[in-house]
Amino acid sequence: MTLNPADESFAARLRQTLPEAVFRPTEPRYLEEPRGRWAGQCGVLALPRNVDEVSALVTAAAAARVPVVPYGGGTGLVGGQVMPDGPAPLIISLERMAAIRGVYATENLLIAEAGAVLADVQEAAQQADRLFPLSLAAEGTARIGGNLSTNAGGTGVLRYGNARELCLGLEAVLPDGRIWHGLSRLRKDNTGYDLRDLLIGAEGTLGVITAATLKLFPRPAAEGTALVVVPNPQAAIELLALARDQLGEAVSAFELIAGQGLHFLSETLPEIRQPFADPPDWCVLIELGLPRGQDPESALTGLFEAALERGLVSDGLIAQSQSQRAQFWSLREHIPAANRRIGAICSHDISVPISQIPDFIVQGGQVIAALGQFRINCFGHLGDGNLHFNVFPVAGRSKADHANQRDAIQGAVHDLVHAMGGSFSAEHGVGRLKVADLERYGDPVKLAAMRAIKAALDPAGIMNPGAVLRG
Amino acid sequence: MTLNPADESFAARLRQTLPEAVFRPTEPRYLEEPRGRWAGQCGVLALPRNVDEVSALVTAAAAARVPVVPYGGGTGLVGGQVMPDGPAPLIISLERMAAIRGVYATENLLIAEAGAVLADVQEAAQQADRLFPLSLAAEGTARIGGNLSTNAGGTGVLRYGNARELCLGLEAVLPDGRIWHGLSRLRKDNTGYDLRDLLIGAEGTLGVITAATLKLFPRPAAEGTALVVVPNPQAAIELLALARDQLGEAVSAFELIAGQGLHFLSETLPEIRQPFADPPDWCVLIELGLPRGQDPESALTGLFEAALERGLVSDGLIAQSQSQRAQFWSLREHIPAANRRIGAICSHDISVPISQIPDFIVQGGQVIAALGQFRINCFGHLGDGNLHFNVFPVAGRSKADHANQRDAIQGAVHDLVHAMGGSFSAEHGVGRLKVADLERYGDPVKLAAMRAIKAALDPAGIMNPGAVLRG
């Protein structure tokens, strides 16, 4: 079924039903994505102020068979936010729908519009003495509608779950332009198919999320952070089990850091203070969030002593102040920036069953070594089985030198991940970058069901064409 | 589109591709449901032993346009497991697919076949020193496939979530007979639409769940239970907030019990020991599950003292032994049995936003009083905003005396719930009992999307026809 561009005549029709204030001239930022792999196009840029305007826009696009690209903060890493080819789309940016519609502290929830910046949602929760635990590097720019559309992960998943698990209800405009009013404040509601979880993670291909009910949590009364040296990834996994055994759900982050990452940091960002004079091969950043009456330092000391006895750690630092906590986290959070300065040949956002992580790291290294001389920086959310396994040139060479090897490296890593029962996209989604991976590795029956659902809800195929499923 | 009965000729065709051992003569238990509202029918009863046999059965049913009713433990309360009219169905009971395929303690998960009894899943987790937290009255009979198909709730939802939140992956046979191999052991996997959450809660109308990957949790090192008297439901809600503030996620159950329930218990089950000589109007059963090194008694005492100071409790008992813990839980768990002996005119499984619970209880009482003289037993999962609000005749009258008022009472309660932004089915599902409620109260855009999804995945409408959506 062919689509039509959002051309002058379509723009003119839109202006008959929607106020002029909704429309803006295109700016480059709507056509770029962080990895610079694609340049988007734009026929019409609309910045609606409420769900009725979103509905009117999508209704018009459906009638005219014009593609629609929903736009959040633009921080997605798989090109879901840019449509580089085909008829020029109507881009609907949610940035003017950024209100927190209500905070219900006793119910531990708030209702945010899709355009609310993630950091502002966190802030609204904090003002009500609650925690909204979704946390990721782009939180100052990413918008909650995009976080939900991509089922964002981040550092809080271990304890609190992905974006999907933090959402109780949605308001959304479906591909025919109709509004689904699903902003439930209920914890339990078993009345029909789970449309919410279908839209979450659909990357804008099944509709436009316009608002969401989000779960809040008690803020931990005390937090503690430690950076510990482990002999190898297997020990890190055993340390996590020990930590959960001793501390239950209080373990709120458990991030693996490779020595390579620390070396990249000292090379490219020497101003970031490093706690170990000699970067260890592997260390783990542990964060605890404890209820009242429990002392993080003694909890971390107890864990460290028990781990030392079992040979799971060899050294470690417990943060003694807020600024030391911030320093440890800054180490973790600047790893992607250091990676960018070195210049990865390719990045992988993979997950495998947690017990397979050590094997994956070993075999992944072998697979890469068989293809040539490279450096690997492997880091991430160990507790979730999710690693960012990024491949770099050796010192003195550049990623451009290896451009023709990128596909082979990526294919080798993804083949290995697939053979281990893992995923080629743990948290970033499919977007446009991984459509072929989904076709190659996805279960064919699931793919057929996805295509049937897409055709049923979006028969003209107007919603974010080319993302997730081939158009 | 008309369906055909699972008649002799269909049975003969099935026997050409499937071994004789798969088939059994029908027994009455497959045609009954706990509330005795419907009598099912059965054309062919099949007890497949593996997913390939399920696939062959559904493939044959799809080719012949024969309705299929998936059957678990038969404990559902909304008639989803019996098809009382239309062409006699093929009943597929999963009871012979009851294996625990694997327990992965370090990954905190296990893989169970759909026919595994819930209590056996709990037991398998316990043997690996883990907790599978789904817990409900029917756990000795209910099977995990049915629990997932209905997104079961129960007493552990407050801390651990519904069945949906406890599932990482599924193996299922879709309505065309094809097998979806989705038994992921991954915590994070963002590769396409969430087919898992779509099948969970679809009550067998989108396919047959044959196995599931289930999340396990650390077993709490120490548990504590208290039964406290609260002046009113509002105080109970404030007590819950206080408990979470003091104890974080350690609060694993928070069940409201009305004085009426205790009176029903002494009337019908006098052998159940009651801790209070004079049943209080409202009390709350609190359960804590604590990690190592924390003492439940001192945690509960601390909570009780703080609550006493704020006037949130007036009396209370902290269980001093395992047998006293069991005694408190027995009180809560026998309320449904006492209700059955009294004989409810109608039951409601409702949820409202948690802060609205006190208003709902007051207004619900007024709505019922306006219809005549009745007794109300209101109890349940307060922390989830989920109450079982059941209406009984006054002493000396029977439910039969009020049979003609049932619809009016139910309508009045559900109207009130709907006006408060609540749900007419918090945890039991829609089944056949609440199809009209879904049509009346459900969001029309969501309903249209559900019908489109049903038509896309099950174009012939063979899967559990008449459940959830009108056939």
Side-chain angles (χ1 to χ4, degrees), chain A residues 107 150-151 159 164 180 188-190 193-194 197 205 245 249 292 294 351 355 386 423 425 427 448, chain B residues 107 150-151 159 164 188-190 193-194 197 205 245 249 292 294 351 355 386 423 425 427 443:
Chain A
E107 295 173 22
T150 57
N151 187 29
R159 180 168 183 173
R164 179 176 283 127
W180 169 40
K188 285 163 93 174
D189 181 15
N190 272 348
Y193 303 163
D194 190 352
D197 287 355
T205 64
D245 187 41
E249 285 108 334
R292 200 159 304 187
Q294 289 178 52
S351 61
S355 64
N386 176 196
S423 169
S425 188
E427 59 177 10
Chain B
E107 296 173 20
T150 57
N151 186 28
R159 180 168 183 172
R164 179 176 283 127
K188 284 163 94 174
D189 182 15
N190 272 348
Y193 303 164
D194 190 351
D197 286 356
T205 64
D245 187 41
E249 285 108 334
R292 200 160 304 188
Q294 291 178 51
S351 61
S355 64
N386 176 196
S423 169
S425 188
E427 61 177 8
D443 180 85

Side-chain angles (χ1 to χ4, degrees), chain B residues 37 343-346 371 373-374 391-393 397-411:
Chain B
R37 298 274 298 260
I345 300 163
C346 53
L371 295 169
Q373 277 208 304
F374 301 98
V391 181
F392 298 82
R397 303 204 66 181
S398 81
K399 65 176 176 176
D401 299 337
H402 298 283
N404 61 349
Q405 286 175 286
R406 189 164 70 179
D407 289 350
I409 295 172
Q410 211 143 50

Side-chain angles (χ1 to χ4, degrees), chain A residues 163-204:
Chain A
R164 179 176 283 127
E165 292 170 80
L166 302 174
C167 179
L168 288 171
L170 292 179
E171 175 191 88
V173 173
L174 298 194
D176 63 1
R178 293 211 285 170
I179 303 167
W180 169 40
H181 294 284
L183 285 178
S184 164
R185 277 158 56 200
L186 306 175
R187 295 275 155 176
K188 285 163 93 174
D189 181 15
N190 272 348
T191 55
Y193 303 163
D194 190 352
L195 197 53
R196 176 193 67 203
D197 287 355
L198 192 61
L199 286 179
I200 294 174
E203 305 185 37

Side-chain angles (χ1 to χ4, degrees), chain A residues 310-332:
Chain A
R310 287 160 214 224
L312 301 178
V313 298
S314 61
D315 195 358
L317 295 159
I318 296 173
Q320 299 297 316
S321 62
Q322 285 299 324
S323 75
Q324 209 175 10
R325 282 190 58 213
Q327 186 201 324
F328 290 178
W329 271 107
S330 155
L331 214 59
R332 166 65 184 88

Side-chain angles (χ1 to χ4, degrees), chain B residues 114-306:
Chain B
V117 170
L118 173 52
D120 294 338
V121 176
Q122 294 166 346
E123 175 64 24
Q126 185 159 349
Q127 297 217 343
D129 195 26
R130 294 291 184 277
L131 174 74
F132 181 64
L134 189 68
S135 174
L136 37 86
E139 63 197 23
T141 314
R143 296 175 190 273
I144 193 67
N147 294 143
L148 289 165
S149 290
T150 57
N151 186 28
T155 55
V157 176
L158 179 65
R159 180 168 183 172
Y160 299 102
N162 268 39
R164 179 176 283 127
E165 291 170 80
L166 301 175
C167 179
L168 288 171
L170 293 178
E171 175 191 270
V173 173
L174 298 194
D176 62 1
R178 292 211 285 170
I179 303 167
W180 169 40
H181 293 284
L183 284 179
S184 163
R185 276 157 58 198
L186 305 175
R187 297 274 155 177
K188 284 163 94 174
D189 182 15
N190 272 348
T191 55
Y193 303 164
D194 190 351
L195 197 54
R196 176 193 67 203
D197 286 356
L198 191 62
L199 286 179
I200 294 174
E203 305 184 38
T205 64
L206 297 179
V208 184
I209 292 172
T210 55
T213 314
L214 301 171
K215 287 187 197 170
L216 304 180
F217 295 82
R219 286 175 66 196
E223 291 172 302
T225 310
L227 193 63
V228 301
V229 177
V230 293
N232 51 51
Q234 178 60 36
I237 286 168
E238 291 171 32
L239 176 63
L240 174 61
L242 181 69
R244 287 175 139 180
D245 187 41
Q246 288 197 346
L247 302 159
E249 285 108 334
V251 185
S252 30
F254 199 88
E255 297 284 309
L256 184 71
I257 299 173
Q260 186 65 74
L262 299 177
H263 286 295
F264 283 175
L265 273 173
S266 36
E267 195 178 326
T268 62
L269 295 165
E271 68 276 20
I272 304 289
R273 220 169 119 196
Q274 299 228 8
F276 302 111
D278 198 19
D281 283 352
W282 297 103
C283 59
V284 171
L285 180 69
I286 307 172
E287 171 114 333
L288 301 184
L290 294 165
R292 200 160 304 188
Q294 291 178 51
D295 173 38
E297 183 161 351
S298 72
L300 286 167
T301 307
L303 174 64
F304 185 79
E305 282 167 4

